[in-house]
Amino acid sequence: MSPAEPLLAAPPRDALWFPRFGAPPPAAGAPGTRLICFPYAGGTASVYRDWRERLVGAVADVAALQLPGRGLRMREEPYTSAGPLVAAVAGELVRRGLTRDYAFFGHSMGALLAYEVACALRRRGEPGPRHLFVSGSRAPHLYGDRAEHLLPDAELRDFAAGIGALGDGDRALLNSAYLDRRLPVLRADLEVCNGYRWRPRRPLDCPMTAFSASDDPVADAAEVEAWRAYTTSSFLRHHVQGDHFFLTGDGPARQRLLRELRGELARLPRAAGTRSEQREPSWTY
């Protein structure tokens, strides 16, 4: 009889939701705002892997959300509906004690999730984000009029290429095994977006900053500007040169995005309250 296979320890639950990328976490109770980042449809937490270094001095940490169906969560079924996904993310943030002195950033689907999670946390009586950054996304009430998740695989590949998901010179990926593995996650995420229906609620009370791109076929400038109605606080929109995925790579649009984020986060006033009044977060990602 052959020896039994060694048992491999499953990654801790925290590492599934918020994987770390190199830099150790700050000490528990360290002052400063934490930026929690939400991925776009089909995306992974790794798109934000260098943001902590890029935003050093402006934030205490960057926590990038990893959704089921990708990375260490590859074997988990991705969500196909916004309601259960939002509830799961909000619950995880509360469980981890990450709902104090934090800001949200979301791109495309991630912006929609960030908004809905902020609303869910408000319903639970949790502190809201100190700032909400939305990027490459129509305002929530403009969702629900598309059906790309129903496209056959070949047309879904073409759609991904058409919005810039494959990057420059990556048309060869259209027929690759890699893209075949990613299509189910992309399709599920698009179903989350396309099945979403906004329901009227009072606006958030945190400042909001929106980013639109000149050649974005998914969210034009007017559709991004429509986020203005979703806050009773200040609203600022930046318009950059680029396509829907201007936050990837290292071009001028991404550099400007990070520069604006750094500036606005650095200007946030210190959060009210003392450590004795607040729950200590769990920093083991």
Side-chain angles (χ1 to χ4, degrees), residues 134-216:
V134 296
S135 170
S137 174
R138 295 169 288 162
H141 66 279
L142 300 176
Y143 276 77
D145 63 342
R146 305 174 73 120
E148 297 93 349
H149 66 288
L150 299 176
L151 292 173
D153 284 357
E155 293 180 34
L156 187 57
R157 291 187 189 96
D158 287 335
F159 168 76
I163 63 173
L166 305 183
D168 295 334
D170 283 342
R171 295 289 298 188
L173 280 176
L174 281 175
N175 297 310
S176 72
Y178 170 80
L179 188 57
D180 287 342
R181 291 194 300 271
R182 304 309 304 158
L183 278 182
V185 168
L186 175 60
R187 189 183 298 280
D189 287 354
L190 291 174
E191 187 172 353
V192 169
C193 295
N194 296 336
Y196 171 84
R197 299 294 184 274
W198 179 72
R199 56 185 183 82
R201 281 155 289 176
R202 60 188 172 91
L204 299 174
D205 59 6
C206 62
M208 188 179 299
T209 301
F211 295 86
S212 57
S214 59
D215 302 313
D216 190 341

Side-chain angles (χ1 to χ4, degrees), residues 43-58:
T44 69
S46 63
V47 72
Y48 303 113
R49 66 182 308 129
D50 67 340
W51 278 34
R52 186 180 177 198
E53 289 71 28
R54 295 295 190 104
L55 299 174
V56 66

